[in-house]
């Protein structure tokens, strides 16, 4: 069989699942995939690899390679490597990302660019799959085209061996190669959203135009819904994905009740169990969103943090949703049974293993509560598997449509965009009765939720503050109730008995005996930190809860200035925004105090929903408007004074709008084109002077 090396770099399991799918399909196309995580460097060697290489690479943070690829990226970035180091390699790469973030697919782009610089050549076009519109829109056709590209490559290599013709040298561009110069421009400028067709890499899968139009295709007949389709889809012949191979054997075993440790559910290390010592509501009761500040007592732990760091909260699923799932699966009477998992001896799944995130000997209720992301949007493979568990012909047909190529628009509209979960599907398709093994095979790990540190250990030793909105989602289907965020809803319930209103009166800590405890773990440190040189000026942009890390910055700077009264400290600007001055102006008194004592040099606040006073100039509505109003100072700070700009908050709208405003500011104040301004901002990002902590 024709062998190829298949490497994946994953953060949350997406890239691994796609690589496994490629591996499964390879056999039926006459290939054998040698599948490894990129971190398993002892199991493969690219320096001596003669087979084609296929890579699936995800992106994490605001454009970083996943943690599993950090060592690999560090090794290939060794500046002493010669430019022909990988001249023998022929590869194809599939990058995963989310276009709501500025650095779209950057994990894959970083590796792709460096492999090219070291002489490796594409045998197949790079794919960039966008989780914003649905990864499968690029992933499925990319995998489908991979087999022809591999077949062609093996044929070419075979002919070269027979004729004695050596492989083409690395400095001769191949038909599908992308030169390092183009990739450099792409990685610096395209990532800053250059909408200039001439500058786009012609050999990169152009999903943006074709696929976005496909996903935005409106389902014109409003008679269609999650459970029901209309012509033409309901009368179309369908191409549906292959049935995913079963691989788990599940036994439910009665056992004496024993204590189950929440620490056993997490793959994070280290994990700290800490009490919530204080909870304060920062918004008024009539605010659009309810924002809470929680204080954790970390005095009895080794947990250390700096302002700008973030950490994970390990949270459970909602008790009511777990109960609903158990009831629908008719497993209520077995919820206390222990789950014993083994791999089926006759499975066709290559490399099948018991999922790491399901601990041994835990009860079914515990696993559904702490281990599985039961809110996850089911992938098409899961829907395909559910078809075979459904007895109603009409329901079977609808599930087939939703996982089919022809039903992509319906899948996006009624499943993906509606954030439908397994329980929603089971309520919408009453004749579907999946076995527990299928759920354990298909539901991903319940992920811990990240939060920014909102305090400085210099001002609050042994304490850790964080801030969040209690997320609320509309009901995805008529049968389901509205939902709160998995973690924020749980935390809000935990602290409800001792939640304090936001007054200027001193807040009291909870007695230890009454303080609920939660599990937290540190996250890998990144560069969202105050400059090493305190004299460098700083611009902070953080509307809503995006202000959280900047409160930590300001607390830290206040203590540093107290410790060094003669020190040289740079200016600090804060651009904050909220809806209403009297409802959700977070940390108003604390920010005014920072301004009064001179720690904060400039405070620019915008209120998007307050009516402007008639006699005054219309105030800035959003943070980007205030940035534009102070464009000279912003440009001077960044371009002449070697300042830093930090942006924290929503990736979908705010971060893009702020980036667009910065392009305008640099272009206007420097008298350069927008393209040059984008390159300037790209350089600031490379220098770690334009930093983002953003989320979707």
């Amino acid at each position: 069989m024709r062998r190829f090396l298949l490497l994946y770099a994953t953060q949350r399991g997406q890239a691994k699942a796609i690589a496994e799918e490629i591996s499964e399909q390879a056999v039926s196309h006459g290939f054998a995939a040698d599948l490894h995580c990129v971190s398993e460097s002892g199991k493969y060697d690219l320096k001596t690899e003669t087979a084609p290489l296929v890579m699936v690479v995800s992106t994490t943070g605001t454009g970083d390679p996943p943690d599993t690829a950090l060592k690999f990226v560090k090794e290939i970035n060794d500046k002493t490597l010669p430019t022909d180091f990988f001249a023998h390699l022929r590869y194809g790469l599939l990058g995963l990302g989310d276009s709501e973030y500025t650095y779209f697919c950057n994990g894959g782009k970083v590796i792709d660019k460096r492999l090219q610089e070291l002489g490796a050549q594409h045998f197949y076009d790079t794919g960039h799959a966008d989780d914003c519109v649905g990864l499968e829109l690029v992933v499925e056709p990319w995998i489908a085209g991979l087999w022809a590209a591999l077949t062609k490559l093996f044929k070419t290599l075979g002919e070269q061996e027979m004729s004695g013709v050596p492989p083409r040298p690395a400095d001769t561009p191949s038909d599908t190669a992308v030169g390092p110069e183009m990739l450099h421009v792409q990685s610096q400028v395209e990532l800053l959203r250059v909408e200039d067709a001439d500058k786009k890499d012609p050999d990169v899968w152009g999903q943006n135009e074709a696929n976005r139009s496909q996903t935005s295709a409106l389902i014109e007949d409003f008679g269609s819904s999650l459970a029901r389709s209309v012509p033409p889809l309901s009368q179309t012949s369908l191409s549906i994905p292959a049935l995913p191979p079963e691989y788990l054997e599940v036994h439910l075993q009665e056992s004496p009740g024993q204590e189950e440790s929440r620490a056993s559910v997490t793959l994070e290390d280290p994990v700290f169990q800490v009490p919530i010592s204080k909870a304060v509501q920062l918004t008024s009761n009539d605010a659009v969103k309810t924002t809470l500040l929680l204080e954790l007592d970390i005095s009895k732990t080794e947990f250390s943090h700096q302002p700008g760091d973030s950490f994970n909260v390990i949270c459970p699923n909602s008790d009511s949703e777990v109960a609903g799932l158990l009831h629908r699966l008719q497993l209520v009477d077995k919820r206390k049974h222990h789950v014993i998992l083994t791999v089926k001896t006759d499975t066709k799944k290559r490399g099948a293993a018991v999922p790491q995130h399901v601990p041994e000997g835990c009860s079914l209720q515990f696993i559904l509560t702490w281990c599985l992301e039961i809110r996850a949007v089911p992938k098409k493979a899961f829907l395909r598997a559910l078809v075979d568990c459904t007895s109603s012909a009409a329901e079977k047909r609808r599930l087939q449509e939703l996982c089919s190529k022809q039903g992509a628009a319906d899948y996006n509209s009624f499943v993906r965009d509606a954030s439908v979960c397994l329980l929603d599907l089971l309520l919408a398709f009453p004749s579907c009765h999946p076995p527990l093994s299928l759920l354990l095979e298909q539901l991903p790990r319940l992920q811990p939720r990240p939060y920014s540190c909102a305090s400085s250990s210099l001002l609050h030793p042994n304490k850790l503050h964080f801030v969040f909105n209690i997320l609320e989602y509309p009901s995805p289907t008529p049968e389901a109730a509205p939902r709160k965020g998995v973690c924020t809803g749980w935390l809000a319930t935990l602290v409800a008995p001792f939640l304090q209103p936001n007054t200027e009166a001193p807040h009291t800590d909870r007695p230890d005996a009454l303080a609920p405890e939660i599990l937290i773990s540190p996250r890998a440190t990144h560069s969202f930190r105050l400059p090493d040189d305190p004299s460098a000026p700083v611009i902070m942009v953080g509307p809503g809860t995006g202000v959280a890390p900047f409160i930590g910055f300001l607390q830290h700077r206040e203590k540093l200035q107290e410790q060094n009264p003669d020190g040289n400290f740079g200016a600090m600007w804060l651009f904050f925004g909220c809806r209403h001055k009297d409802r959700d102006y977070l940390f108003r008194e604390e920010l005014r105090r920072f301004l009064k004592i001179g720690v904060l040099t400039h405070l620019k606040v915008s209120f998007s929903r307050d009516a402007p006073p008639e006699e005054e100039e219309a105030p800035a509505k959003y943070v980007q408007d205030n940035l534009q109003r102070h464009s000279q100072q912003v440009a001077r700070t960044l371009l002449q004074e070697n300042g830093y700009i930090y942006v924290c908050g929503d990736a979908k709208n705010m971060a893009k709008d702020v980036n667009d405003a910065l392009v305008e500011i640099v272009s206007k104040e420097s008298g350069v084109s927008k393209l040059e301004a984008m390159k300037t901002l790209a350089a600031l990002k490379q220098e770690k002077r334009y930093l983002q902590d953003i989320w979707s």
Side-chain angles (χ1 to χ4, degrees):
M1 238 182 214
R2 298 167 294 181
R3 172 189 162 276
F4 64 94
L5 177 61
L6 176 55
L7 300 180
Y8 61 86
T10 195
Q11 187 73 18
R12 295 189 162 194
Q14 291 267 44
K16 181 182 180 185
I18 290 166
E20 287 174 343
E21 172 68 16
I22 293 171
S23 178
E24 305 280 351
Q25 288 191 30
V27 180
S28 61
H29 290 278
F31 297 99
D34 191 2
L35 176 65
H36 302 292
C37 177
V38 75
S39 62
E40 299 174 312
S41 53
K43 297 182 179 179
Y44 67 91
D45 186 357
L46 292 187
K47 294 196 296 289
T48 58
E49 185 57 70
T50 55
L53 167 66
V54 175
M55 295 192 77
V56 184
V57 183
S58 66
T59 298
T60 189
T62 52
D64 302 314
D67 295 345
T68 52
L70 292 177
K71 185 182 174 195
F72 176 83
V73 170
K74 186 179 179 185
E75 287 171 354
I76 64 173
N77 275 333
D78 180 349
K79 298 299 179 200
T80 64
L81 295 178
T83 54
D84 62 352
F85 188 70
F86 285 142
H88 57 285
L89 273 185
R90 301 293 178 272
Y91 76 100
L93 187 142
L94 175 62
L96 312 181
D98 186 331
S99 62
E100 288 186 349
Y101 291 81
T102 310
Y103 275 138
F104 172 57
C105 275
N106 202 43
K109 288 176 179 176
V110 163
I111 292 173
D112 199 6
K113 175 180 177 232
R114 187 58 181 151
L115 290 177
Q116 294 263 309
E117 289 173 348
L118 294 173
Q121 294 176 28
H122 287 134
F123 74 83
Y124 186 41
D125 299 347
T126 298
H128 293 153
D130 186 358
D131 200 31
C132 181
V133 296
L135 292 174
E136 69 281 353
L137 290 176
V138 168
V139 170
E140 290 173 8
W142 193 89
I143 295 175
L146 174 64
W147 313 119
L150 277 168
T151 300
K152 182 180 176 185
L153 177 66
F154 275 107
K155 187 180 176 203
T156 305
L157 293 174
E159 287 171 356
Q160 286 172 348
E161 283 176 11
M162 286 164 60
S163 65
V165 177
R168 185 166 35 200
D171 56 2
T172 308
S174 65
D175 294 341
T176 57
V178 185
E181 299 79 11
M182 175 62 82
L183 273 160
H184 179 72
V185 172
Q186 181 195 352
S187 63
Q188 295 307 307
V189 180
E190 179 202 317
L191 297 176
L192 285 165
R193 312 218 159 272
V194 184
E195 299 300 335
D196 184 333
D198 294 333
K199 311 232 166 15
K200 285 195 174 171
D201 181 347
D203 291 320
V204 170
W205 275 70
Q207 82 287 351
N208 284 343
E209 290 74 23
N211 294 325
R212 283 183 194 282
S213 62
Q214 184 183 347
T215 39
S216 62
L218 293 172
I219 297 160
E220 292 177 13
D221 191 321
F222 291 103
S224 54
S225 66
L226 175 64
R228 178 177 177 275
S229 66
V230 293
L233 181 59
S234 60
Q235 296 163 353
T236 301
S237 59
L238 304 172
S239 50
I240 61 174
L243 185 67
E246 300 173 13
Y247 67 95
L248 288 181
E249 199 82 59
V250 181
H251 297 285
L252 293 177
Q253 193 176 79
E254 281 191 77
S255 68
Q258 63 187 67
E259 189 66 28
E260 291 163 308
S261 165
R262 286 181 293 164
S264 71
V265 309
T266 179
L267 305 177
E268 317 327 292
D269 187 49
V271 173
F272 303 105
Q273 188 161 321
V274 294
I276 302 174
S277 50
K278 188 187 296 180
V280 183
Q281 181 171 317
L282 299 180
T283 47
S284 65
N285 290 330
D286 57 351
V288 174
K289 294 180 180 177
T290 301
T291 307
L292 305 187
L293 177 145
L294 301 195
E295 178 182 84
L296 305 178
D297 181 350
I298 56 173
S299 58
K300 296 183 174 69
T301 72
E302 299 290 313
F303 187 93
S304 63
H305 64 99
Q306 290 189 39
D309 285 351
S310 54
F311 66 97
N312 286 321
V313 172
I314 293 145
C315 60
N317 288 308
S318 145
D319 288 343
S320 64
E321 287 174 50
V322 171
L325 198 51
L326 285 166
H327 182 264
R328 176 62 181 77
L329 295 168
Q330 299 176 332
L331 289 169
V332 174
D333 57 337
K334 294 185 176 176
R335 67 189 185 282
K336 298 294 184 187
H337 284 44
H338 280 196
V339 177
I340 312 299
L341 287 184
T342 54
V343 174
K344 280 178 176 283
T345 52
D346 59 347
T347 181
K348 293 186 171 60
K349 182 177 173 67
R350 296 187 66 209
V354 172
Q356 276 186 302
H357 55 271
V358 181
E360 287 182 38
C362 287
S363 71
L364 175 57
Q365 181 154 356
F366 182 87
I367 288 169
L368 290 177
T369 303
W370 288 97
C371 307
L372 301 177
E373 190 88 62
I374 64 174
R375 283 264 191 99
V377 174
K379 293 193 164 49
K380 290 184 178 181
F382 198 175
L383 296 180
R384 172 64 188 88
L386 291 175
V387 170
D388 288 20
C389 310
T390 305
S391 55
S392 157
E395 291 178 18
K396 250 185 199 292
R397 166 71 192 193
R398 183 54 175 153
L399 286 168
Q400 287 174 331
E401 289 168 357
L402 290 171
C403 69
S404 70
K405 189 175 181 180
Q406 293 75 14
D410 272 30
Y411 174 82
N412 282 330
S413 179
F414 298 122
V415 180
R416 179 192 162 75
D417 297 345
S419 296
V420 157
C421 66
L422 173 64
L423 183 55
D424 299 326
L425 279 176
L426 295 180
L427 293 173
F429 297 92
S431 79
C432 182
H433 295 284
L436 183 57
S437 57
L438 179 60
L439 275 56
L440 294 167
E441 288 167 355
Q442 294 290 338
L443 286 172
R445 171 195 171 207
L446 178 58
Q447 294 287 343
R449 272 39 177 185
Y451 294 94
S452 299
C453 301
S455 56
S456 165
S457 54
L458 294 182
L459 185 65
H460 297 285
N462 301 321
K463 304 290 185 188
L464 171 61
H465 292 179
F466 68 107
V467 176
F468 59 88
N469 293 325
I470 303 173
L471 299 177
E472 296 187 348
Y473 304 100
S475 166
T477 63
E479 298 86 356
R483 293 177 180 143
K484 287 187 163 60
V486 172
C487 191
T488 62
W490 171 65
L491 289 171
T493 303
L494 270 186
V495 303
F498 59 97
L499 183 64
Q500 301 172 56
N502 184 25
T503 65
E504 292 312 302
H507 299 296
T508 54
D509 289 4
R510 291 294 286 167
D512 282 349
L514 299 174
E517 294 190 332
I518 64 172
L519 294 175
I520 63 170
S521 66
R523 299 187 81 211
T525 54
H526 54 94
S527 50
F528 202 84
R529 297 240 178 107
L530 280 166
D532 293 334
D533 176 6
S535 68
V538 165
I539 296 170
M540 302 170 286
V541 183
T545 55
V547 76
F550 304 135
I551 297 299
F553 279 14
L554 291 163
Q555 291 176 358
H556 206 70
R557 178 60 68 87
E558 179 183 2
K559 297 305 286 185
L560 288 177
Q561 289 186 199
E562 283 177 15
Q563 293 167 6
N564 303 282
D566 299 323
N568 180 16
F569 294 95
M572 295 191 87
W573 291 71
L574 174 63
F575 291 85
F576 174 70
C578 58
R579 288 177 174 82
H580 300 282
K581 185 176 186 177
D582 298 325
R583 299 184 202 176
D584 54 3
Y585 187 164
L586 309 182
F587 300 103
R588 174 163 55 184
E589 298 311 315
E590 194 162 357
L591 290 173
R592 287 175 173 172
R593 188 183 67 81
F594 285 133
L595 193 63
K596 188 175 180 181
I597 62 177
V599 169
L600 185 56
T601 325
H602 305 278
L603 175 61
K604 305 299 175 187
V605 187
S606 47
F607 306 105
S608 62
R609 307 289 167 83
D610 281 344
E614 287 181 17
E615 67 279 2
E616 294 179 18
E617 176 197 4
K621 197 171 181 182
Y622 300 109
V623 285
Q624 61 268 24
D625 301 330
N626 253 334
L627 282 167
Q628 295 267 27
R629 290 196 174 186
H630 299 85
S631 64
Q632 281 188 330
Q633 297 97 316
V634 169
R636 185 172 66 244
T637 299
L638 295 179
L639 306 179
Q640 293 166 31
E641 298 173 357
N642 287 320
Y644 291 67
I645 183 163
Y646 300 82
V647 181
C648 182
D650 163 48
K652 191 170 186 175
N653 299 308
M654 183 277 301
K656 288 179 184 172
D657 292 340
V658 166
N659 191 77
D660 291 345
L662 290 172
V663 170
E664 297 273 356
I665 288 167
V666 172
S667 173
K668 182 175 95 175
E669 301 300 336
S670 301
V672 297
S673 69
K674 285 191 181 177
L675 181 60
E676 283 303 315
M678 289 174 178
K679 288 180 178 177
T680 299
L681 291 175
L684 288 180
K685 286 187 174 181
Q686 275 200 319
E687 294 167 28
K688 299 281 192 277
R689 291 202 291 120
Y690 177 3
L691 296 150
Q692 294 175 306
D693 181 4
I694 57 179
W695 56 84
S696 56

